């Protein structure tokens, strides 16, 4: 076929249906490579499979995409819609191929709530060239093609034909291979998350519906009269709750890691809880969840944001509550308490205009500790910790202990050794900051102090081809859900410390944080569940009763 014939067939005066077919075919073969690969991999592992079933998968996907794109087949809308979905799909394909990211509801939520500085950290020359390479063919085609539109009646008939043919094709596939699809889908539920761009469109719709078009939920008061159990003559108490960012338990030398990532806190002999799990795999879920009384299995963002959380209850009990943030906000957890967000201006020696090193938190912390106004004070410090992919921007140059490191954001193009070294440097630097915080607490006279550090979620560093975090929880690797938790106190007797050491190997989760902080602050509340308070069975009164019995 000559060039002029090809141009006539595919460029000059082409029907909208043909354009939809051509673009959908490209989406199947390029943007859905991960879906096809993982589907075929799952099927080929079976002892017995139908070859014709395998051949039907791209055909089914093609028809589904054509039906989807047909809803945009309106004059002056089709081209912009296809251009938009092409660019969006190219970005998602890059993220999936490079980092293993899937765009389910949780990832859409995390993406929408991401700040501009965080979003730009993912952009680099490698990402730019790959996205352009993935999208240039359909974009050039859409630029050149001349779509012919007929009368409204004729166009409607064209859509009916397209929908009819696609629907009949789907019915035929279902008739012959329904059992195969049901079996593979039931045993590999994660596969649907890789369908581009349909999964992200459905997830975006659900996010918008849930956040902007659902009836408002009445605010629920869990306890309208919490109170402090401490007496006025017992002296002051300070509890630091440090919320880590993207720290994973297996990278802590206190948990047996073979690299010295906890050399600074080790001097203070903290208790490391080695089997701690997160509520989610992304900050947008984990942070509000750990401050909620709902727990992971019952957590719902809208419900949690419309009821009292941990900070509300302790504040109502006359505890002085302060949130110090060096991350991208508290995701709603601190909206009713005093909050100080670190100024990321370049004028500060610890900041570069986009981020600050976590040492920046030490100054306002010291200021607060020097001016305690209440009997009990709870200070929450939100670290930027090990936030990726720009791990190298999370620690000063002098803390680049593990080398060679990865001084770039497209971490998949570094060796795994470099990625892990860079990440380990962030853990070691966070450990240094934690040690400084403990030192500040230790210097307070006649004040009972304690610190609880817990990360929001973990991180994948190339294991099984996955990077970063945010994978669907049910399918997430342990690196994204197994998190560190450290506890230090200035007022521990030998029996209490031994009891905590015995507990340190038991399984705990973010579900325990709400009740454990209520216990540490000694706030009496109807929302408190002693069975979920990690420290309850190790307090002096409880141990005394048990020893007496």
């Amino acid at each position: 076929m000559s060039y002029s014939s090809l141009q006539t067939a595919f460029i000059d005066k082409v029907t909208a249906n043909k354009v939809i077919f051509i673009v959908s075919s490209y989406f199947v073969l390029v943007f859905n490579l991960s879906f096809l690969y993982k589907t075929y991999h799952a099927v080929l592992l079976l002892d017995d499979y139908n070859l014709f079933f395998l051949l039907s998968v791209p055909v089914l996907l093609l028809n589904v995409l054509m039906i989807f794109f047909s809803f945009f087949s309106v004059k002056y809308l089709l081209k912009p819609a296809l251009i938009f979905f092409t660019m969006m799909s190219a970005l998602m394909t890059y993220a999936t191929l490079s980092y293993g990211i899937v765009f389910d509801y949780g990832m859409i939520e995390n993406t929408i709530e991401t700040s501009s500085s965080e979003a730009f950290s993912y952009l680099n020359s490698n990402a730019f060239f790959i996205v352009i390479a993935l999208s240039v063919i359909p974009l050039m085609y859409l630029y050149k093609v001349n779509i012919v539109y007929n009368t409204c009646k004729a166009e409607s008939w064209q859509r009916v034909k397209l929908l009819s043919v696609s629907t009949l094709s789907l019915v035929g596939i279902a008739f012959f291979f329904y059992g195969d699809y049901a079996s593979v889908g039931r045993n590999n539920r994660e596969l649907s998350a890789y369908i581009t761009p349909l999964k992200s469109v459905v997830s975006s719709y659900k996010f918008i519906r849930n956040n902007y078009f659902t009836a408002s939920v009445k605010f629920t008061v869990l306890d309208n009269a919490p109170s402090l159990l401490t007496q006025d003559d017992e002296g002051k108490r300070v509890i630091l709750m440090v919320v880590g960012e993207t720290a994973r338990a297996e990278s802590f030398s206190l948990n047996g890691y073979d690299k010295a990532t906890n050399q600074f806190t080790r001097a203070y002999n903290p208790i490391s809880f080695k089997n701690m799990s997160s509520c989610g795999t992304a900050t947008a879920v984990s942070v509000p969840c750990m401050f909620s009384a709902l727990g992971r299995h019952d957590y719902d963002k809208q419900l949690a944001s419309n009821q009292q959380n941990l900070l509300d209850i302790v504040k109502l009990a006359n505890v002085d509550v302060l949130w110090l943030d060096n991350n991208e906000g508290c995701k709603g957890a601190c909206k009713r308490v005093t909050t100080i967000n670190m100024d990321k201006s370049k004028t500060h020696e610890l900041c570069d205009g986009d981020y600050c090193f976590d040492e920046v938190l030490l100054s306002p912390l010291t200021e607060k500790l020097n001016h305690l106004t209440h009997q009990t004070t709870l200070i929450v410090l939100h670290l930027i910790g090990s936030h990726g992919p720009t791990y190298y921007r999370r620690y000063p140059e002098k803390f680049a202990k593990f080398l060679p490191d990865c001084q770039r954001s497209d971490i998949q193009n570094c060796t795994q050794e470099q990625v892990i070294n860079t990440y380990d440097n962030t853990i070691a630097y966070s450990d240094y900051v934690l040690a400084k915080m403990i030192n500040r607490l230790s210097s307070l006279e006649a004040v009972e102090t304690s610190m609880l550090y817990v990360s929001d979620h973990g991180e994948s560093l190339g294991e099984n081809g996955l990077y970063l975090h945010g994978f669907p929880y049910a399918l997430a690797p342990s690196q994204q859900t197994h998190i560190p938790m450290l506890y230090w106190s200035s007022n521990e007797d030998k029996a209490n410390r031994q009891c905590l050491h015995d507990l340190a190997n038991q399984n705990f989760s973010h579900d325990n944080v709400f009740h454990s902080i209520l216990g540490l602050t000694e706030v009496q509340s109807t929302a408190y569940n002693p069975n979920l308070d990690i420290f309850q069975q190790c307090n002096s009164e409880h141990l005394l009763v048990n020893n007496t019995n």
Side-chain angles (χ1 to χ4, degrees):
M1 184 179 288
S2 65
Y3 174 77
S4 59
S5 299
L6 287 173
Q7 183 167 348
T8 301
F10 297 104
I11 301 295
D12 297 331
K13 298 181 180 180
V14 181
T15 65
N17 282 2
K18 184 178 285 189
V19 170
I20 290 173
F21 172 78
I22 292 171
V23 173
S24 296
S25 299
Y26 187 89
F27 271 62
V28 172
L29 297 175
V30 178
F31 295 145
N32 282 280
L33 275 177
S34 292
F35 169 74
L36 293 176
Y37 170 78
K38 290 180 180 296
T39 302
Y40 287 162
H41 180 72
V43 174
L44 292 174
L45 288 176
L46 301 175
D47 295 330
D48 184 30
Y49 59 87
N50 188 329
L51 178 61
F52 292 103
F53 163 63
L54 283 178
L55 296 175
S56 76
V57 174
V59 178
L60 179 140
L61 183 57
L62 173 64
N63 282 282
V64 170
L65 285 169
M66 287 197 297
I67 290 173
F68 172 70
F69 289 137
S70 70
F71 290 105
F72 301 92
S73 187
V74 178
K75 192 174 183 180
Y76 305 123
L77 176 61
L78 182 59
K79 271 194 178 185
L82 292 177
I83 290 171
F84 169 77
F85 286 116
T86 296
M87 293 302 299
M88 185 177 76
S89 298
L91 283 167
M92 291 190 296
T93 301
Y94 166 76
T96 300
L97 294 177
S98 299
Y99 302 115
I101 293 173
V102 292
F103 289 86
D104 64 341
Y105 185 92
M107 182 54 66
I108 294 298
E109 178 181 46
N110 205 39
T111 301
I112 291 175
E113 295 186 4
T114 294
S115 67
S116 58
S117 60
E118 183 178 344
F120 283 126
S121 70
Y122 292 86
L123 300 181
N124 49 68
S125 58
N126 186 64
F128 175 79
F129 287 118
I130 290 178
V131 169
I132 293 299
L134 288 170
S135 60
V136 64
I137 293 177
L139 290 180
M140 287 298 296
Y141 175 71
L142 290 169
Y143 172 74
K144 286 182 170 294
V145 70
N146 178 25
I147 302 176
V148 177
Y149 292 96
N150 297 311
T151 63
C152 183
K153 184 178 179 179
E155 283 300 314
S156 298
W157 175 238
Q158 290 291 321
R159 296 300 82 71
V160 170
K161 286 198 297 184
L162 176 64
L163 291 172
S164 298
V165 171
S166 296
T167 302
L168 286 173
S169 181
L170 293 177
V171 170
I173 291 173
F175 178 79
F176 288 104
F177 306 114
Y178 176 79
D180 298 280
Y181 279 100
S183 176
V184 173
R186 182 170 58 250
N187 296 318
N188 302 273
R189 296 184 183 278
E190 75 280 6
L191 290 176
S192 65
Y194 291 92
I195 299 177
T196 305
L198 300 184
K199 183 63 176 182
S200 62
V201 172
V202 172
S203 298
S204 299
Y205 162 75
K206 290 180 178 178
F207 178 85
I208 294 171
R209 179 199 63 192
N210 293 346
N211 287 272
Y212 303 105
F213 293 98
T214 55
S216 59
V217 177
K218 183 180 179 181
F219 190 84
T220 301
V221 175
L222 302 179
D223 187 353
N224 56 16
S227 60
L228 278 173
L229 293 172
T230 52
Q231 303 299 316
D232 292 339
D233 59 352
E234 289 188 38
K236 291 183 177 180
R237 174 186 285 104
V238 174
I239 300 93
L240 292 193
M241 180 180 174
V242 185
V243 179
E245 171 65 56
T246 320
R248 61 187 205 172
E250 67 181 62
S251 298
F252 272 51
S253 56
L254 288 171
N255 294 332
Y257 189 47
D258 59 1
K259 290 159 75 171
T261 53
N262 297 118
Q263 61 175 329
F264 298 104
T265 57
R266 190 177 291 276
Y268 295 95
N269 202 20
I271 305 291
S272 178
F273 291 84
K274 298 177 175 61
N275 295 301
M276 185 76 178
S277 60
S278 64
C279 183
T281 61
T283 306
V285 174
S286 283
V287 168
C289 181
M290 78 169 79
F291 287 91
S292 165
L294 293 173
R296 185 174 76 82
H297 293 291
D298 297 320
Y299 177 75
D300 176 84
K301 178 182 178 182
Q302 188 177 35
L303 186 60
S305 63
N306 286 283
Q307 68 174 220
Q308 279 180 312
N309 63 22
L310 170 65
L311 303 184
D312 298 323
I313 291 174
V314 296
K315 178 183 177 182
L316 192 59
N318 200 34
V319 173
D320 188 15
V321 181
L322 173 64
W323 183 290
L324 299 175
D325 203 293
N326 188 40
N327 205 315
E328 300 298 337
C330 65
K331 308 304 179 183
C334 63
K335 61 184 176 182
R336 291 177 291 273
V337 300
T338 302
T339 302
I340 299 176
N341 293 298
M342 297 302 102
D343 180 8
K344 298 175 177 60
S345 169
K346 286 185 178 180
T347 57
H348 197 294
E349 61 180 1
L350 292 170
C351 306
D352 63 7
D354 293 321
Y355 306 104
C356 297
F357 297 129
D358 280 325
E359 282 178 86
V360 75
L361 292 164
L362 297 177
S363 178
L365 172 62
T366 301
E367 176 69 17
K368 182 63 178 178
L369 294 177
N370 289 338
H371 299 89
L372 299 175
T373 58
H374 290 57
Q375 184 184 27
T376 302
T377 301
L378 172 64
I379 306 172
V380 183
L381 301 107
H382 191 193
L383 307 184
I384 197 167
S386 305
H387 200 299
T390 51
Y391 304 124
Y392 68 95
R393 298 179 69 179
R394 305 293 170 250
Y395 53 90
E397 186 177 351
K398 64 181 180 180
F399 282 89
K401 176 181 178 180
F402 306 109
L403 297 170
D405 58 0
C406 178
Q407 295 281 323
R408 54 195 296 175
S409 62
D410 51 336
I411 54 177
Q412 74 279 6
N413 291 315
C414 291
T415 66
Q416 189 171 31
E417 178 192 14
Q418 290 175 315
V419 174
I420 291 175
N421 282 341
T422 315
Y423 180 83
D424 289 344
N425 286 334
T426 70
I427 298 295
Y429 177 64
S430 292
D431 188 72
Y432 169 78
V433 175
L434 290 176
K436 287 288 188 181
M437 293 177 181
I438 295 175
N439 181 264
R440 299 279 198 283
L441 294 177
S442 301
S443 66
L444 296 178
E445 297 182 0
V447 180
E448 183 180 324
T449 59
S450 59
M451 183 199 77
L452 183 70
Y453 164 86
V454 59
S455 184
D456 58 352
H457 53 77
E459 187 86 328
S460 289
L461 299 175
E463 300 87 2
N464 300 313
L466 298 179
Y467 291 89
L468 306 175
H469 53 269
F471 212 69
Y473 198 94
L475 307 169
S478 62
Q479 287 85 5
Q480 295 188 29
T481 60
H482 184 201
I483 56 174
M485 185 170 81
L486 306 179
Y487 174 71
W488 173 90
S489 176
S490 66
N491 187 32
E492 284 184 325
D493 55 42
K494 185 178 294 187
N496 177 273
R497 184 167 183 82
Q498 184 57 52
C499 177
L500 289 174
H501 266 298
D502 294 340
L503 286 178
N505 290 317
Q506 293 186 19
N507 294 326
F508 296 107
S509 73
H510 277 159
D511 291 4
N512 298 99
V513 171
F514 180 96
H515 307 278
S516 298
I517 294 295
L518 285 178
L520 289 175
T521 54
E522 296 197 11
V523 170
Q524 185 176 38
S525 171
T526 56
Y528 172 69
N529 183 350
N531 295 323
L532 292 175
D533 180 355
I534 296 173
F535 307 102
Q536 166 62 19
Q537 59 184 295
C538 291
N539 64 40
S540 300
E541 293 80 2
H542 192 275
L543 290 173
L544 181 62
V545 171
N546 286 346
N547 291 335
T548 301
N549 293 337

